[in-house]
Amino acid sequence: MQISTENKGPALLIRLCGRLDAATSPEFEKRALEAVSLGSIRIIIDLAGLEYVSSAGLRCFLILAKKVRASGGALAVCGLAGMVSEVFQISGFQNLFPAGATVDDALRLLGTGEAQRDPGKERQ
Amino acid sequence: MSAKPAPEVTLQVTADLSLVLLVNAFTEQASLALGLGSAEALALTLASEEVFSHACRVAAPGCATRLAARGKGYRVEVELSFAARGFDLRALNLTSNVRADDEESLEEMGLVIASRLVDRLSVGDSRDGATLVLAKDRVYPPGEHVEPVTPRTRGPLSVRPAVSEEVKLVAGLARAAGSPEAVPESLAFPGKVVDQVAAGDSNVLVAASPGGHLAGAVLWRWASPRTVEFHGPFLFSAPPGPSDPPEGGPGRLLTEALVSAVARTRAVGLLTRNPTEALPRESFERLGTLDTRAGDAWVETPAYFRLLHEDPGSTAWAHRELEGFLGREYDRLVLPRDLRLTSDGGERLAPHSVLATEFRRGRSEAVLRPLRAGDDAAENLSAHVELLANEGLASVLFEMDVAAAWQARFTPGLLALGFRPRLLIPYGGQGDLVVFQRVGT
């Protein structure tokens, strides 16, 4: 699994690619919680590149969400598709986090206002 | 029950979460090699990971685990066996859901996911441990509409097994010719029927002219180790009247060929739960009826049975509230059975029961099958019925195997919810199968 991070205005964007299973989720959890401890409390997780998530991965999202909420922040997800979307529905996790189709949607859901500064949107 | 042994791959590991990647790689590669597409293989892999991870949490350290993947062309099964007993599998119930604020519920989240990602799931307990079988079917394109054709070839009909293109044609013609209640939903995917025939899990006989025109067909498969269930006969041209199939007509020809073919197997009985008008009913015994939804109306559909070999007899276990029904049916059908009543001796039960649910949405029907007994049998049944009613399903069936005494524990709950015993199918399971039905909300 590949984990990449990027600052999106006041939010931290974490992109996950590949498979988040019982073997790979500890590494994701460790890196995400480190980011929170360094001050990132508005987090977007982009799942568009994720093809597989097991309950071990879902628990990481839950732990991360509790951590950022406890710090006064929020977590949103985007890019849910295929089996990952199905697993979110089965587990009821689609109701636990704000979910957008795109990163911009997720930014809006976090209320950062960052998406409104999208030049493409300003031209419309 | 299949005529052909399925290819099998096995893996033996200890229940240790550090081995989960090995388990995942095994399941995915075996699933692909045994015929699943990548999406179905991934779903089965995830289900297998969840069951293995659950076992790692609840089993004793070092518990031996065996995975066996079996391929049938149209389906792959992964059997996970653990040398440990007493797993609480209530999360496999359709009524289970995940509550993020409840740690116990989160512990069971993996099993909830596993149960919803597979097409079939069964549970077994033995002295050596517990076994879960997860099955996923290949995805097939739906069949196209087939117009019945007027025969241009003539000559006497003969009955023979269908070849693969004919199997697909039969699937389409049967859907066009049969009433929706009589046609199994599986025929909506003709390619799947071809693969089921190739795997030896289904059989198709056609009545054909020397020139190859198909006048009719009958399909059959094993419903249990000792009972064959058939669909049809379906007539594709010049159908006979409802009660008087002409001598030598395709309906009678097909039925006689079917009886002859199945009589050469180890099957004790031949069953149909969806008879067509072309079935010569006088050759069969009427078992009982089920109410079937046909549009806005209810149709009473009889089931028919024919004993093919001498019945060796068996023991049937029943709750006392089912004794009357079983006694009457065994007398009427002249079946040699030792009817034994189960009793409550105060012995300990697992706290939670488990039910498997099969949806037949085309018939607005669901079938419940018990996987495990438990103290909450009545409450669990009630929750399932409520959920299925909320899904808009008009009929719920419950299949109880009288060879398994533990299943009798569901009887009081079923009767209290308005289920009624409607059918007794000889050897429809490991032993006789009692089919209960509850209609309406």
Side-chain angles (χ1 to χ4, degrees), chain A residues 1-81:
Chain A
M1 190 188 60
Q2 291 176 309
I3 307 170
S4 63
T5 58
E6 179 186 340
N7 286 317
K8 276 281 191 183
L12 177 71
L13 173 64
I14 303 176
R15 282 204 167 93
L16 300 179
C17 285
R19 300 185 182 188
L20 189 59
D21 54 29
T24 56
S25 55
E27 171 66 13
F28 162 65
E29 183 179 326
K30 178 167 164 274
R31 288 184 57 177
L33 291 180
E34 273 174 5
V36 177
S37 64
L38 290 173
S40 297
I41 58 166
R42 290 177 186 273
I43 293 180
I44 296 167
I45 305 176
D46 184 356
L47 305 171
L50 198 67
E51 62 168 347
Y52 181 112
V53 61
S54 70
S55 61
L58 294 180
R59 288 177 74 98
C60 293
F61 296 151
L62 197 59
I63 290 166
L64 184 59
K66 284 179 178 170
K67 190 85 173 172
V68 295
R69 282 173 195 157
S71 307
L75 181 143
V77 297
C78 65
L80 281 166

Side-chain angles (χ1 to χ4, degrees), chain B residues 290 414-423 434-438:
Chain B
L290 290 175
L414 286 165
L415 298 176
L417 283 166
F419 282 85
R420 294 291 172 262
R422 301 289 299 268
L423 281 182
V434 179
V435 183
F436 294 77
Q437 184 174 35
R438 181 182 189 273

Side-chain angles (χ1 to χ4, degrees), chain A residues 19-26 51-60 62 66 83-84 86-93 96, chain B residues 17 20-21 24 28 39 42-47 49-50 53 57 97-101 103 106-107 109-110 112-113 116-117 136:
Chain A
R19 300 185 182 188
L20 189 59
D21 54 29
T24 56
S25 55
E51 62 168 347
Y52 181 112
V53 61
S54 70
S55 61
L58 294 180
R59 288 177 74 98
C60 293
L62 197 59
K66 284 179 178 170
M83 195 169 78
V84 173
E86 191 179 354
V87 169
F88 265 69
Q89 284 178 14
I90 292 168
S91 60
F93 269 50
L96 291 184
Chain B
L17 202 54
V20 72
L21 275 183
N24 287 2
E28 185 171 13
L42 208 55
L44 191 54
T45 301
L46 179 48
E49 176 189 328
E50 297 295 4
S53 299
R57 283 194 296 273
N97 50 37
V98 180
R99 294 183 305 282
D101 57 347
E103 190 55 37
L106 287 171
E107 285 291 324
M109 174 166 61
V112 174
I113 292 170
R116 310 289 161 84
L117 284 177
K136 190 76 182 168

